[in-house]
Amino acid sequence: MSFPELHQPQEPSGHAPVVLLHGGNVANWMWDPQLPALKDRLVVTPHLPGFGERTSELWPGLGEVADDIVQRVRDLTGHDRFHVVGLSLGGAVALHLAARHPKAALSVLASGVPLLPVTGIPRIATRLHLALWRQAWFWKAQAAAFRLPADSRGPYVDHGLSVRKETARAMLADVHSGRIPEGLSTYDGPLLLVAGEREPRTVLRSLAAAATLVPRATTRLVPNMHHVWNIEDPDLFDTMIRDWLAEQD
């Protein structure tokens, strides 16, 4: 199934485009619940290299992916400036985009990003994840653990099986390094870091450390939410995005 990257507003508006960057092990279809709430804007939901319709590509690194997204948005829309929203892997890419292309990112909202290195049991779990990468039952268990609704579990399993293990290994090593993008400290646009209250411990620790690591960022903890909470509670996620964008307009 093909999932479009460009979504035109229902009516012309003066709003700047918004770019939604998907998480790892999924593709741009994860943003389907948000599209109706953003129907007054030009929305871009790009496929990251190695995912979605780009599974044949290698993972080039977070910085290079950020460069790729800026160029892809320009090619698709003709716009040089846009708001950026990212979850998990997409949030990490969003921070690198802000650091490398500060004039392109009008604002950044990143949810569920590890700003500290992932170590201990989560790191061991990652090795197990890679060992079981080709097992459909494992992806089904992951979908249940993330509390994905029934209609999202099929695409999640199918897409997970389509991603190359080499891509996943390189991407996870990149994200789990917990690197603060060089240059992020000089980004002067609005920056919001968010985490669900029931996220992995590294993400929660990262949010708590953000005051030191990314002192310009505003931080928010969302009660009762897990990692993929744009699907877990789409109405709440939609409200957050719309309120955030309204503040920037």
Side-chain angles (χ1 to χ4, degrees):
M1 182 180 294
S2 177
F3 297 95
E5 295 182 291
L6 189 62
H7 310 270
Q8 298 288 349
Q10 287 190 354
E11 296 181 1
S13 72
H15 296 312
V18 58
V19 177
L20 307 180
L21 301 177
H22 67 76
N25 308 338
V26 293
N28 71 346
W29 51 262
M30 70 166 275
W31 295 116
D32 283 358
Q34 277 63 62
L35 294 178
L38 296 170
K39 61 186 179 182
D40 59 335
R41 292 180 180 269
L42 178 62
V43 180
V44 187
T45 56
H47 303 282
L48 302 185
F51 298 89
E53 295 180 0
R54 304 177 70 181
T55 53
S56 63
E57 300 179 32
L58 297 174
W59 177 257
L62 284 166
E64 291 76 9
V65 172
D67 299 343
D68 175 280
I69 293 303
V70 170
Q71 188 59 52
R72 200 164 185 86
V73 173
R74 287 173 179 163
D75 291 343
L76 286 169
T77 70
H79 287 269
D80 291 322
R81 307 192 74 199
F82 43 84
H83 301 287
V84 188
V85 176
L87 187 147
S88 191
L89 169 62
V93 173
L95 296 182
H96 280 264
L97 193 156
R100 295 166 75 97
H101 303 275
K103 293 182 179 179
L106 289 169
S107 71
V108 175
L109 191 167
S111 180
V113 182
L115 299 173
L116 300 171
V118 176
T119 59
I121 292 177
R123 198 80 179 201
I124 295 171
T126 295
R127 290 199 289 270
L128 176 62
H129 191 160
L130 290 170
L132 298 173
W133 194 262
R134 304 306 305 166
Q135 304 299 318
W137 66 264
F138 179 75
W139 287 102
K140 292 176 183 178
Q142 286 283 102
F146 282 137
R147 308 228 173 164
L148 299 184
D151 60 356
S152 296
R153 296 189 182 192
Y156 178 80
V157 173
D158 292 344
H159 179 263
L161 292 170
S162 76
V163 176
R164 294 192 292 179
K165 185 185 290 189
E166 294 81 5
T167 295
R169 182 180 289 112
M171 177 273 291
L172 289 168
D174 221 359
V175 174
H176 287 182
S177 69
R179 287 184 292 121
I180 304 299
E182 184 178 353
L184 185 62
S185 61
T186 62
Y187 175 67
D188 61 1
L191 175 59
L192 175 62
L193 299 177
V194 179
E197 185 180 38
R198 299 184 180 182
E199 295 250 23
R201 185 174 299 177
T202 300
V203 174
L204 296 178
R205 290 175 54 238
S206 294
L207 191 70
T212 300
L213 298 174
V214 192
R216 287 200 68 262
T218 300
T219 61
R220 293 289 184 269
L221 187 65
V222 188
N224 300 317
M225 290 294 104
H226 296 79
H227 191 54
V228 193
W229 67 280
N230 77 299
I231 294 176
E232 184 180 13
D233 192 338
D235 290 341
L236 181 59
F237 201 95
D238 293 351
T239 298
M240 176 187 68
I241 294 180
R242 289 191 63 82
D243 288 351
W244 170 252
L245 293 176
E247 290 179 12
Q248 317 314 323
D249 288 338

